Amino acid sequence: MRLTEPDQESAVSVQLDTQPEAGPSSVAGSSNGYNGSTAKQNGYSNSYTNGHSKASPTDATNGGGRLETQTTSITKVSLPGSTLYDDSYVDREEFVRLIIQSLRDVGYIESAATLEAESGYTMESPEVAEFRRCILDADWARANAALMRLGVADDERLWEAKFLISQQKYLELLEANKITTALHVLRNELAPMNVDPDQLHALSSLMMCSDPEDLRQRAGWDGASGHSRRRLLGNLQRYIPSSVMIPQRRFATLLDQARAYQQSLCLYHNAPSNSRTFSLYTDHLCDKNAFPRVTTAILEVHTDEVWNLEWSHSGNFLASASKDKTAIIWRVEHDKDPSIRDISPQFILRDHPYPVGCVAWSLDDSILLTSAEHFIKLWNTRTGLCVRSLEAHTDVVTALAWLPDGSGFISGGLDRKIILWDADGKQRDSWGQSPIRVTDLTVTPDFTRLVAVGMYDVPASGPGVTATPENGNQSGAGRSAENRVIVYDLLTKQPQLFIPVDGELTSVEVSDDSRYALINRAPEANAPCEIHLWDLESERVARRYLGHKQSKHVIRSCFGGVDGTFVASGSEDAIVYIWHRDTGTLLEALPGHGPGSVNSVAWNPQNERMFASCSDDHTIRIWEAPPTNIMGVPDAEEHSRQAHEADGKGKGKSRERWDGQATGTSYGLGSSSGSTLL
């Protein structure tokens, strides 16, 4: 609140003899929370640097501007009790010290000094301020001496903290080409600390670096002029009691924890974490009406079951694979309003001798992989031409996965082969004979592991051409005695982990943090139908998702939304199911497709409010948040009615298409439209 001119004068000139009390003033003339002070002008004219050392007025600047101040006096406020409020458990001193730290962090130096004076609390002791200064100024001898006075719990932790300081000192000496002095530190300071021999050897090997840049690269260190000293302070914080040296940006950390907690309670959370979606003024709660749960378009070009689909990395294209022996690249303007968006088949890739089971986009979206039986084809997505056909597999290729860096891709099949290819289709390496008949595989985003799922059973039929699989795989061709998840080391190709799982495994997808594997499974007779979320670190099932139907078809699921918050899957009952990933709560069961299985679901990587599903009804559906009417109210009732008014093919009540043509027509290469607008 801005003071009026008379109030401003009184706030400067009035001085009371009474003891100040907390809360709004009841005395005329006092303002801004002060009950008595003289010439208050945002704190001391002599500001505090780092919480304690007094500096000249020119030191207390923000953004390079000079603060013009005059000498003031701040009266200390004495408050009863020790908690923030009468009914609060928050310690007042801790709260105030965190506020002081936050004010300094954002540049309000004199405001922080004023609060220190008025509250009587200081952010940190002079010993902590001295220690901080010594680290940032590379005064290593004084830093070690100051560390001894900061209450480190025991001798072992004290030695660990000293090692970190000496290690920084050693690296800076090497960077400055002071080899002799660095060697002295290594022998007389680091070596006597009984550190791990491998760690000591790694440090000594840094003496062989050719130049400072080589040193920084090999040590994973950004140098004395970088942020290494501040990182050292952060690491040393672990050894010093937090009540003595407050962790960096502690108040911001608490706010982040509150935000994360509120986000975890928001089942429909699907918004990026920024100041527009989170406010300190109110608890966070996403609007359910912003969740993708209505069909905004039906793509109707395929003439048989659609088995698989995948978005390009740009989110502008969608590839679909069908039993009709074609794959289609659809152009989808995901960032436009559904009422004016153009969705059309960019290319129809017809040159497949068998039904198409898999599609996979290269990192730059320039190449699309498709598989049909034991064939793999590479397509130029800019021309629609097949650039290469591969026949290294001898049975159905069930999985295609690009390496995270785009340098190549991996294929897996029912012939137990896992093959690594270059980006241009040249065979680079092979895993040899896998112990399982691979039904799906993927590479972890951190580029360290390959996760494959499959079965140990041996086909009953003799060698020869495999019959056309159901849904692009052989699920339903005979139950296996044992199914496994195998995690391979991507570099050595050696298995790291074997996980036995009940039921046939039909798909696997790994989370962005490379920790969790989402696995669809067709259960054994009388067993519950579940999708499993496996924690690859703890080697256990972290979550189970129930409600969908799967017994004989290949069903594929995916992560979706901001930070992979949701799990979406198809189902044999023609419904799309969506769960909250962390709680397992079933959020939506979306009807709309015609009879048959919804075989695959794919979330747009660039639009967290859009996903696609494909079905045995020959169609692909685009799902988005309900559109709003001119008053800004979601028109959910109208779209719900349209979604249920479906004929035997699942084609919702059709309206005139954007190009004015009749619906239900199949389009050839380069056609302008192949979708129905809802």
Side-chain angles (χ1 to χ4, degrees), residues 480-506:
S480 63
E482 189 173 13
N483 299 277
R484 288 288 180 100
V485 180
I486 303 181
V487 181
Y488 291 93
D489 183 286
L490 194 60
L491 181 62
T492 65
K493 299 187 292 297
Q494 296 301 309
Q496 293 181 328
L497 179 63
F498 288 86
I499 304 175
V501 181
D502 294 332
E504 290 192 50
L505 312 180
T506 61

Side-chain angles (χ1 to χ4, degrees), residues 125-390:
S125 67
E127 290 79 11
V128 173
E130 173 68 9
F131 177 70
R132 188 187 304 276
R133 185 197 63 76
C134 291
I135 294 294
L136 296 178
D137 292 346
D139 191 345
W140 308 121
R142 290 191 177 184
N144 276 299
L147 178 64
M148 302 290 290
R149 301 190 294 270
L150 296 184
V152 179
D154 53 57
D155 290 342
E156 182 177 352
R157 292 178 62 80
L158 180 62
W159 280 106
E160 290 176 3
K162 285 189 172 185
F163 173 82
L164 293 177
I165 295 174
S166 295
Q167 179 178 250
Q168 177 77 16
K169 177 182 178 181
Y170 170 72
L171 292 173
E172 291 195 16
L173 288 170
L174 286 181
E175 185 182 39
N177 201 31
K178 298 180 179 180
I179 306 300
T180 302
T181 310
L183 181 60
H184 182 271
V185 171
L186 181 67
R187 290 176 174 174
N188 297 283
E189 295 184 25
L190 292 170
M193 291 185 181
N194 296 321
V195 297
D196 181 72
D198 291 337
Q199 187 176 8
L200 194 62
H201 177 73
L203 288 173
S204 63
S205 68
L206 295 176
M207 286 193 169
M208 307 303 295
C209 293
S210 57
D211 53 48
E213 182 58 35
D214 184 30
L215 168 70
R216 290 188 287 268
Q217 184 174 356
R218 290 178 57 183
W221 178 72
D222 64 357
S225 60
H227 299 284
S228 61
R229 293 178 187 171
R230 292 197 174 275
R231 290 196 189 96
L232 174 61
L233 269 176
N235 291 331
L236 291 170
Q237 171 66 58
R238 296 176 297 173
Y239 302 94
I240 301 171
S242 57
S243 60
V244 176
M245 184 176 179
I246 302 174
Q248 297 181 36
R249 298 184 177 181
R250 179 58 184 166
F251 200 77
T253 299
L254 294 175
L255 294 178
D256 285 342
Q257 292 172 355
R259 176 197 56 76
Y261 174 71
Q262 292 179 23
Q263 179 177 319
S264 69
L265 298 181
C266 178
L267 294 181
Y268 284 89
H269 177 73
N270 199 25
S273 301
N274 55 46
S275 58
R276 295 179 58 187
T277 58
F278 285 92
S279 171
L280 298 180
Y281 296 135
T282 183
D283 289 346
H284 171 75
L285 185 64
C286 284
D287 184 0
K288 179 180 177 180
N289 290 317
F291 190 79
R293 54 193 177 91
V294 300
T295 299
T296 56
I298 303 176
L299 314 185
E300 303 173 283
V301 173
H302 284 294
T303 59
D304 210 329
E305 299 171 0
V306 188
W307 285 345
N308 208 342
L309 74 172
E310 181 175 306
W311 289 97
S312 65
H313 296 85
S314 69
N316 292 320
F317 297 94
L318 178 68
S320 57
S322 173
K323 188 179 179 180
D324 65 8
K325 302 181 183 180
T326 70
I328 298 180
I329 297 177
W330 304 85
R331 180 175 181 84
V332 182
E333 297 175 321
H334 70 84
D335 54 347
K336 291 189 177 180
D337 186 272
S339 62
I340 61 172
R341 177 188 297 132
D342 177 36
I343 302 180
S344 58
Q346 185 92 344
F347 297 107
I348 300 180
L349 313 178
R350 303 182 184 277
D351 190 20
H352 297 96
Y354 302 101
V356 183
C358 300
V359 288
W361 292 89
S362 63
L363 185 62
D364 61 0
D365 294 334
S366 64
I367 297 293
L368 179 71
L369 303 176
T370 62
S371 69
E373 289 286 333
H374 60 285
F375 293 97
I376 300 173
K377 290 184 177 292
L378 285 73
W379 301 84
N380 185 317
T381 60
R382 294 176 175 84
T383 65
L385 299 177
C386 180
V387 296
R388 194 156 192 166
S389 185
L390 312 174

Side-chain angles (χ1 to χ4, degrees), residues 63 73 178 251 267 346 429 532 644 671:
S73 62
K178 298 180 179 180
F251 200 77
L267 294 181
Q346 185 92 344
D429 205 345
H532 288 175
H644 286 83
S671 60

